Amino acid sequence: MQKRDELYRGKAKTVFYTDNANQLILEFRNDTSAFDGEKVEQLDRKGEINNKFNHFIMQKLEAAGVETQLIERLSDTESLVKKLDMIPIECVVRNFAAGSMCRRLGIEEGKELSPPTFEFFLKNDALHDPMVNESHIISFNWATQEQIDTMKALTFKVNEVLSQLFSDGGMLLVDFKLEFGVYEGRIVLGDEFSPDGCRLWDKETRKKMDKDRFRQGLGSVVETYIEVAERLGVAL
Ligand code: 5GP
């Protein structure tokens, strides 16, 4: 399998073609961004940590019956994935109020949400990823009702599996974002799962252990990602 030209350069990952038309290589870079790319910094080892973390989580999800794009980890910073036809929608489940939900609804950070909430956002930095509903998704042909139902069910399934996994490591899975694509007609989990795209708090102290450390200038970003990985038993 040969790495070919760059297909797409995202804020934290670069996607490359391979000599197989159905497979791509993801390269996890050290770039760390927030506020739709307004704040960007290079954090030493972040690409490697997120690549290894993502590989670990995707394997756990596959074992639980959630099909993911991951094929194999190729190096410290690269993974081979299925080439999905991406749906431009972010699926967010929240177990505790934080982030944009608190700003939007005036809810106090940390309030437990029972049952967890589910939200769709349009993936569009220029528009600051606005919240959309099922009606928008169908009218604008971003996905079908059947695809929406599948994405929603899979996101809740991921919440069940990962809430338990993080809980076993002494952490609360506060919220997370998933992106899906279509592969051979099936809805498959794409993008990545790492502390860049979820919120994790220590169960006892509620210490923030995710990208909010970067967003809020709390420091020790990569050191804390490493602590999360170690608590889960990710081999670094
Ligand atoms: P919020 O809506 O509170 O900003 O984000 C909810 C959850 O989804 C958080 O865990 C956040 O990290 C994740 N999330 C939302 N949008 C994005 C995004 O564009 N990129 C990344 N990496 N994560 C996102």
Side-chain angles (χ1 to χ4, degrees):
M1 194 272 318
Q2 291 281 317
K3 192 171 178 179
R4 292 272 165 88
D5 291 346
E6 187 177 308
L7 165 63
Y8 174 76
R9 187 179 168 89
K11 294 192 291 289
K13 295 190 292 299
T14 308
V15 184
F16 294 89
Y17 289 107
T18 67
D19 52 5
N20 181 329
N22 297 317
Q23 298 182 351
L24 299 171
I25 291 175
L26 295 187
E27 185 201 354
F28 290 73
R29 306 194 315 271
N30 287 339
D31 296 304
T32 311
S33 75
F35 314 121
D36 303 312
E38 277 173 32
K39 176 177 178 179
V40 183
E41 279 175 33
Q42 288 274 315
L43 299 180
D44 201 32
R45 281 196 78 198
K46 208 216 36 157
E48 176 202 337
I49 307 296
N50 277 6
N51 185 39
K52 292 177 177 176
F53 194 94
N54 178 62
H55 177 249
F56 177 90
I57 295 287
M58 293 291 166
Q59 280 184 320
K60 294 284 180 195
L61 294 176
E62 289 276 357
V66 176
E67 183 176 359
T68 79
Q69 67 175 353
L70 193 88
I71 299 169
E72 61 173 326
R73 186 163 72 78
L74 298 174
S75 70
D76 277 357
T77 56
E78 296 164 308
S79 286
L80 185 66
V81 299
K82 298 166 192 161
K83 183 177 191 298
L84 310 186
D85 188 7
M86 291 304 291
I87 294 173
I89 294 293
E90 300 181 340
C91 298
V92 171
V93 160
R94 299 176 197 267
N95 298 304
F96 295 85
S100 72
M101 166 175 270
C102 297
R103 291 195 294 277
R104 222 178 322 116
L105 302 177
I107 310 281
E108 193 185 337
E109 183 179 84
K111 179 180 167 53
E112 188 165 4
L113 304 169
S114 182
T117 62
F118 184 95
E119 298 159 341
F120 288 116
F121 295 89
L122 176 65
K123 201 172 154 62
N124 185 321
D125 275 349
L127 298 177
H128 308 293
D129 295 351
M131 184 186 268
V132 293
N133 63 29
E134 295 193 6
S135 167
H136 297 125
I137 295 174
I138 290 167
S139 290
F140 294 112
N141 288 314
W142 292 320
T144 64
Q145 184 66 58
E146 194 187 352
Q147 290 173 330
I148 289 171
D149 294 344
T150 305
M151 290 194 291
K152 215 168 158 176
L154 287 170
T155 305
F156 277 119
K157 168 90 181 170
V158 168
N159 189 43
E160 263 179 51
V161 175
L162 297 188
S163 289
Q164 185 61 54
L165 186 81
F166 286 110
S167 175
D168 292 344
M171 292 168 279
L172 296 173
L173 178 58
V174 172
D175 58 29
F176 61 93
K177 179 264 297 180
L178 298 182
E179 294 177 30
F180 294 90
V182 180
Y183 186 77
E184 295 174 347
R186 305 186 301 278
I187 292 285
V188 172
L189 180 58
D191 194 47
E192 69 177 274
F193 193 104
S194 74
D196 273 2
C198 68
R199 289 193 173 92
L200 299 166
W201 295 343
D202 179 83
K203 252 194 216 173
E204 302 303 324
T205 64
R206 297 215 166 187
K207 175 175 89 160
K208 294 182 179 178
M209 305 185 75
D210 54 71
K211 199 158 89 172
D212 274 350
R213 299 204 70 81
F214 176 73
R215 294 187 189 100
Q216 299 175 7
L218 300 174
S220 305
V221 180
V222 175
E223 291 83 347
T224 311
Y225 284 22
I226 291 171
E227 185 185 342
V228 173
E230 283 172 348
R231 287 197 196 190
L232 296 185
V234 180
L236 295 179

